[in-house]
């Protein structure tokens, strides 16, 4: 945490662009004209003090100060979620099948956890708002939040004065009053059918954004495909499999769901190539496949699949009966 670092003489390795570093300050005994090198000390570290509940754990490897862990895309364990017929429940106490509030007084069951780890600690953005009676939202940097107008943007985009959607929907907005970084125990990312969940009174996405962008980029070109839309389409295969009875959950040592781990690594590798051509080829090949799974999901949800199956079965029976009579 930032408030534990000031005055340290221990050698540290921090990113040069860390928000916690004040690059304009040097050790007091540094003299530019004497030709002597300054003693090796840490650059002064500044930043807002961490207030509120103390860190529940110092373990878990949450990465260097100011740099989010590359495998965290979640909420803290102490975040509160409304569960139908139970009231507010800590994120750490949620289970598969719990019907959670997703906004506009609608509840949906949790069908999976993208990340589920109650032992590790991680770095989160703590976003305070004017929402009365609610704790600040604690969310990882790349996880998306719903803002005024219904768009979903990475939490790292959120600044003071931003308007966030609340559990009451479009007509009830909360103004962001403060944003700071905290370390908390527990890493959780529940998935719902709509791709949204209300956490501490604020509507958040189930998904993360890549490329530090709200929209998918091909090189320097920003496509009109939002990461909320892309992620929801790509997760349709998992939701469809769940509907068909494939509900088993298993996790990596870091607590990441096997349903998420491989796709996340593949897509991250593709983006790391920094090639618009490679990204385009992947999207061009994968998107039609996942659009089909999304269509099948919609058909199953609407009951049209059952209706079409019944019609097809009826047609087969009628054809067989007609063939029997002709004999």
């Amino acid at each position: 945490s930032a408030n534990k670092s000031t005055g340290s003489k221990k050698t540290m390795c921090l990113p040069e662009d860390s928000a916690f570093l004040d690059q304009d300050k040097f050790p007091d005994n540094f003299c530019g004209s004497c030709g002597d090198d300054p003693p090796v000390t840490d650059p002064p570290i500044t930043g807002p003090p961490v207030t509120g509940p103390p860190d529940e754990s110092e373990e878990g490897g949450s990465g260097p100060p100011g740099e989010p862990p590359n495998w965290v895309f979640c909420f803290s364990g102490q975040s509160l979620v409304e569960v139908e017929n139970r009231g507010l429940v800590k994120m750490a106490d949620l289970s598969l099948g719990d019907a959670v509030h997703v906004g506009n007084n609608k509840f949906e069951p949790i069908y999976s956890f993208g990340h589920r780890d109650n032992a590790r600690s991680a770095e989160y953005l703590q976003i305070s708002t004017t929402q009365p009676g609610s704790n600040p939202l604690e969310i990882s940097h790349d996880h998306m939040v719903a803002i005024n107008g219904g768009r979903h943007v990475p939490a790292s985009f959120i600044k003071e004065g931003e308007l966030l959607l609340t559990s009451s929907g479009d007509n009830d907005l909360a103004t962001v009053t403060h944003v700071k970084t905290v370390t908390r125990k527990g890493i959780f990312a529940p998935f719902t059918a709509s791709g949204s969940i209300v956490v501490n009174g604020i509507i958040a996405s189930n998904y993360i954004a890549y490329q530090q962008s709200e929209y998918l980029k091909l090189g320097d070109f920003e496509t009109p495909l939002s990461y909320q839309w892309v992620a929801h389409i790509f997760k349709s295969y998992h939701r469809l499999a769940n509907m068909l009875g494939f509900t088993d959950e298993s996790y990596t040592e870091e607590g990441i769901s096997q349903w998420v781990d491989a796709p996340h690594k593949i897509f991250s590798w593709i983006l790391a190539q920094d090639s618009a051509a490679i990204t385009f080829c992947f999207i061009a090949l994968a998107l039609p496949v996942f659009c089909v799974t999304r269509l099948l999901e919609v058909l199953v949800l609407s009951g049209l699949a059952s209706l079409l199956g019944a019609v097809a079965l009826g047609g087969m029976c009628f054809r067989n009966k007609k063939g029997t009579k002709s004999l």
Side-chain angles (χ1 to χ4, degrees):
S1 301
N3 61 332
K4 297 181 182 179
S5 302
T6 306
S8 172
K9 297 295 183 183
K10 182 181 177 182
T11 302
M12 298 175 63
C13 295
L14 294 173
E16 294 180 358
D17 60 348
S18 172
F20 293 103
L21 295 182
D22 188 343
Q23 305 288 354
D24 296 328
K25 294 184 180 180
F26 294 89
D28 294 333
N29 57 351
F30 173 66
C31 176
S33 60
C34 63
D36 295 333
D37 293 329
V40 178
T41 59
D42 291 341
I45 298 178
T46 61
V50 178
T51 58
D55 294 349
E56 297 181 67
S57 172
E58 296 301 322
E59 300 178 357
S62 59
E67 181 178 337
N70 57 14
W71 42 262
V72 172
F73 36 91
C74 318
F75 306 97
S76 68
Q78 67 184 30
S79 299
L80 296 177
V81 177
E82 184 181 359
V83 178
E84 192 172 26
N85 300 323
R86 287 175 58 190
L88 293 176
V89 176
K90 283 186 177 181
M91 188 74 69
D93 296 328
L94 292 176
S95 301
L96 291 174
D98 283 346
V100 296
H101 193 193
V102 297
N104 295 313
N105 296 316
K106 184 179 179 182
F107 292 81
E108 295 175 351
I110 297 172
Y111 71 86
S112 179
F113 284 89
H115 208 153
R116 193 178 193 182
D117 189 337
N118 199 29
R120 297 173 185 264
S121 294
E123 185 179 276
Y124 297 96
L125 292 176
Q126 186 185 82
I127 303 175
S128 301
T129 70
T130 56
Q131 175 87 336
S134 294
N135 295 333
L137 176 67
E138 293 179 350
I139 186 171
S140 57
H141 292 62
D142 292 330
H143 210 112
M144 290 184 285
V145 185
I147 64 173
N148 188 23
R151 291 164 44 214
H152 292 78
V153 302
S156 59
F157 284 19
I158 302 301
K159 308 297 180 186
E160 291 183 14
E162 188 80 66
L163 296 177
L164 306 183
L165 294 186
T166 69
S167 55
S168 299
D170 295 338
N171 296 325
D172 191 3
L173 301 171
T175 303
V176 175
T177 57
H178 189 58
V179 181
K180 64 183 179 183
T181 303
V182 297
T183 299
R184 292 285 184 259
K185 184 180 179 181
I187 307 170
F188 297 89
F191 286 152
T192 63
S194 64
S196 296
I197 185 171
V198 175
V199 181
N200 288 358
I202 302 297
I203 297 180
S205 172
N206 291 175
Y207 314 120
I208 63 169
Y210 296 81
Q211 302 174 295
Q212 298 181 339
S213 172
E214 178 185 351
Y215 297 95
L216 174 69
K217 291 181 178 179
L218 299 176
D220 294 330
F221 174 70
E222 187 175 82
T223 74
L225 305 178
S226 73
Y227 269 115
Q228 177 69 17
W229 184 86
V230 170
H232 199 59
I233 287 290
F234 274 54
K235 282 297 290 179
S236 61
Y237 82 98
H238 187 184
R239 295 190 299 272
L240 182 61
N242 191 270
M243 293 176 190
L244 298 177
F246 297 93
T247 58
D248 291 344
E249 288 276 304
S250 60
Y251 303 90
T252 67
E253 292 182 0
E254 294 82 12
I256 301 177
S257 169
Q258 299 288 0
W259 289 96
V260 171
D261 187 48
H264 171 65
K265 288 178 178 177
I266 292 171
F267 194 57
S268 296
W269 179 87
I270 289 171
L271 294 179
Q273 306 314 301
D274 198 24
S275 168
I278 293 177
T279 305
F280 175 80
C281 289
F282 173 78
I283 295 297
L285 292 172
L287 193 57
V289 175
F290 289 108
C291 283
V292 170
T293 59
R294 173 59 177 159
L295 177 61
L296 292 175
E297 178 193 10
V298 171
L299 290 176
V300 171
L301 285 173
S302 65
L304 286 177
S306 299
L307 177 61
L308 292 174
V311 170
L313 182 61
M316 291 175 62
C317 292
F318 177 77
R319 195 180 304 113
N320 290 338
K321 186 176 180 180
K322 186 175 180 180
T324 303
K325 285 184 176 181
S326 62
L327 291 176

